[in-house]
């Protein structure tokens, strides 16, 4: 078959699940508008009724923001679900090929963790869709929380099954893990998946008023978050040693910034847990706790973003995979850090700076900082549109680069 007549996405790899993930993440960035700009007395998140009231009574600017937010949420959530279904169908086909057997026997086996990662994001995006578009949802939400935890529990089972298969193989057989090909942060994908499941599992802790539901949510999310953090540290240290010896693998260079979304997710998980401890178990934290947490996370994220961009620039990654003839499914990993930075900036500004009384909400400083979050969001929208056109558009002369 003439490969020039194919779309790059026709040469499928598990990393295409990141396309679904990125779209879901962008729907979350639009939800931040509603989360922090729409009043929602009586519950920790805005629901359909709050949004409708704000749209009816608010000024032109708020109306415009709500319209942009709901449009963005609906559009990117649809893309998230569409790409998830497409990837699941392609995965079923891929399992019947020799390429699947080869990938399962290599370092790249962990790429399959992109599937539970994308599944967890879709469950989170689905909950946002319910909050925004379903009237009266909050009246039955206590029945939905156990269902959500069961869903995340099943996704966690898929993730641990994949991780156990990989670690069992490489740690028991010996000599099957190629250290020279571990010169990126690609092996942090399992930690990314676990952290996404953990943040979803922590949602009932922040939103439920049933102590049993809150308690189960706390225990399970703490366990998953702790395992994700441990896996991140171990995998990063091992990978960094390989990068120092062999340099960073060019195609996998975007993974240098995967720490950014992991930190945002674990940070949101921690804030949800603290909220649940406060509202249900009367455990009080300090006024500046969120400021300390979000500022620390942003500082670390800044280091990894700077490092990642430096390496990408030195290796001329954009010339190879964003502007040139080559196409890599791993390019979708570039979306995650920008989305995560945008979301964390919103939390830092609203829960950190405003919460601690350092700046006034909706003041000049507030909008100046918020513009940075919106800039990161817009940049990632442009990137997603560019990548989707390259990978899913009409066939071009570009060739797909098989993931390693």
């Amino acid at each position: 078959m003439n490969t020039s007549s194919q779309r790059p996405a026709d040469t499928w790899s598990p990393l295409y699940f990141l396309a679904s993930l990125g779209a879901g993440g962008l729907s979350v960035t639009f939800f931040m508008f509603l989360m922090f700009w729409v009043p929602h007395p009586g519950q920790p998140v805005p629901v359909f009724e709050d949004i409708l009231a704000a749209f009816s009574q608010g000024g032109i600017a708020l109306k415009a923001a709500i319209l942009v937010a709901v449009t963005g949420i609906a559009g990117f959530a649809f893309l998230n679900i569409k790409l998830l279904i497409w990837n699941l169908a392609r995965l079923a086909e891929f399992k019947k090929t020799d390429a699947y057997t080869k990938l399962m026997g290599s370092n790249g086996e962990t790429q399959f963790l992109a599937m539970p990662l994308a599944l967890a994001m879709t469950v989170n995006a689905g909950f946002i869709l319910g909050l925004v578009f379903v009237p009266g949802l909050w009246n039955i939400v206590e029945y939905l929380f156990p269902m959500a935890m069961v869903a995340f529990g099943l996704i966690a089972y898929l993730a641990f099954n994949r991780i156990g298969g990989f670690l069992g193989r490489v740690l028991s057989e010996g000599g099957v893990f190629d250290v020279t090909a571990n010169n990126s942060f690609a092996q942090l994908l399992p930690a990314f998946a676990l952290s996404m499941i953990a943040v979803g599992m922590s949602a009932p802790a922040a939103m439920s008023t049933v102590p049993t539901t809150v308690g189960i949510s706390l225990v399970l999310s703490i366990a998953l978050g702790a395992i994700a953090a441990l896996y991140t540290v171990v995998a990063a240290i091992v990978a960094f040693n390989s990068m120092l010896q062999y340099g960073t693998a060019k195609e996998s260079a975007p993974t240098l910034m995967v720490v950014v979304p992991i930190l945002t997710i674990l940070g949101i998980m921690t804030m949800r847990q603290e909220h649940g401890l406060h509202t249900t178990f009367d455990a009080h934290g300090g006024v500046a706790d969120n400021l300390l947490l979000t500022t620390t996370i942003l500082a670390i994220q800044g280091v990894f973003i700077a490092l990642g961009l430096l390496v990408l620039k030195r290796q001329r990654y954009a010339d190879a995979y964003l502007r040139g003839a080559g196409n890599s499914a791993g390019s979708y990993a570039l979306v995650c850090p920008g989305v995560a930075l945008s979301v964390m900036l919103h939390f830092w500004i609203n829960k950190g700076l405003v919460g601690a009384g350092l700046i006034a909400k909706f003041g000049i400083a507030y909008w100046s900082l918020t513009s940075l979050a919106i800039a990161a969001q817009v940049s990632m929208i442009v990137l997603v549109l560019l990548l989707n056109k390259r990978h899913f558009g009409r066939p071009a002369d570009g060739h797909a680069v098989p993931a390693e």
Side-chain angles (χ1 to χ4, degrees):
M1 182 181 292
N2 183 6
T3 56
S4 64
S5 65
Q6 291 183 293
R7 304 176 307 169
D10 292 328
T11 306
W12 188 83
S13 90
L15 293 180
Y16 273 115
F17 275 105
L18 298 180
S20 172
L21 174 73
L26 283 172
S27 71
V28 175
T29 63
F30 282 102
F31 184 69
M32 293 296 99
F33 296 1
L34 306 178
M35 177 74 179
F36 296 118
W37 302 347
V38 171
H40 43 92
Q43 70 279 327
V45 289
V47 296
F48 175 85
E49 290 76 13
D50 299 317
I51 298 166
L52 183 61
F55 187 80
S56 301
Q57 302 166 12
I60 295 177
L62 182 57
K63 290 179 188 290
I66 291 173
L67 282 175
V68 170
V70 297
T71 302
I73 290 169
F76 282 105
F78 172 78
L79 185 59
N80 163 257
I81 295 169
K82 176 184 176 182
L83 289 172
L84 177 66
I85 294 171
W86 177 82
N87 273 290
L88 290 173
R90 295 306 304 269
L91 174 61
E93 297 172 359
F94 186 70
K95 286 182 176 180
K96 303 173 184 177
T97 67
D98 292 335
Y100 172 77
T101 304
K102 181 180 178 181
L103 191 60
M104 286 293 288
S106 69
N107 292 15
E109 182 181 353
T110 52
Q111 290 180 19
F112 290 101
L113 269 299
M115 185 263 283
L117 171 60
L119 285 173
M121 172 55 81
T122 298
V123 175
N124 286 320
F127 193 74
I128 288 176
L129 285 174
L131 292 174
V132 175
F133 295 105
V134 179
L137 182 74
W138 203 254
N139 296 326
I140 61 168
V141 75
E142 292 295 351
Y143 299 100
L144 299 179
F145 288 141
M147 295 171 61
M149 288 193 289
V150 169
F152 283 116
L154 292 173
I155 297 171
Y157 172 79
L158 288 175
F160 280 120
N161 188 49
R162 285 287 187 185
I163 294 171
F166 172 72
L167 292 180
R169 178 174 64 84
V170 300
L171 295 179
S172 62
E173 297 178 19
V176 296
F177 186 79
D178 187 356
V179 178
T180 63
N182 190 39
N183 51 339
S184 71
F185 278 170
Q187 292 301 323
L188 269 66
L189 191 56
F192 193 0
L194 291 177
S195 61
M196 184 66 73
I197 300 168
V199 76
M201 191 70 81
S202 69
M207 303 179 198
S208 178
T209 57
V210 178
T212 301
T213 301
V214 174
I216 294 173
S217 173
L218 281 170
V219 170
L220 294 178
S221 62
I222 290 171
L224 285 165
I227 296 170
L230 175 63
Y231 202 111
T232 299
V233 172
V234 173
I237 292 173
V238 174
F240 203 74
N241 181 57
S242 294
M243 284 188 284
L244 289 175
Q245 293 187 56
Y246 306 107
T248 304
K250 184 173 183 177
E251 190 187 350
S252 300
T255 63
L256 287 174
M257 296 182 285
V258 75
V259 173
V260 177
I262 291 175
L263 285 173
T264 288
I265 293 167
L266 293 180
I268 294 172
M269 178 201 72
T270 301
M271 285 184 277
R272 285 177 169 179
Q273 291 167 346
E274 289 180 347
H275 184 78
L277 287 169
H278 169 66
T279 57
T280 304
F281 299 106
D282 203 30
H284 298 283
V287 174
D289 283 357
N290 286 332
L291 176 63
L292 294 173
L293 176 65
T294 55
T295 303
T296 301
I297 288 174
L298 276 173
I300 299 172
Q301 287 176 327
V303 171
F304 281 96
I305 289 174
L307 177 64
L309 292 177
L310 174 64
V311 174
L312 289 171
K313 182 179 180 181
R314 289 286 187 93
Q315 293 187 336
R316 301 178 68 85
Y317 183 91
D319 291 337
Y321 300 118
L322 300 181
R323 293 189 289 264
N327 291 288
S328 170
S331 295
Y332 279 97
L334 292 169
V335 179
C336 305
V339 166
L341 178 64
S342 176
V343 172
M344 183 47 61
L345 281 169
H346 279 293
F347 274 94
W348 177 60
I349 295 163
N350 291 276
K351 294 293 187 180
L353 297 176
V354 174
L358 291 180
I359 63 173
K361 190 163 188 176
F362 304 139
I364 296 176
Y366 180 92
W367 289 117
S368 297
L369 294 171
T370 298
S371 67
L372 299 177
I374 295 174
Q377 176 189 23
V378 172
S379 298
M380 292 306 100
I381 292 172
V382 172
L383 179 59
V384 164
L385 296 177
L386 168 67
L387 290 174
N388 286 353
K389 182 179 179 180
R390 287 182 66 93
H391 288 262
F392 295 94
R394 286 183 294 179
D397 294 333
H399 61 280
V401 180
E404 298 179 356

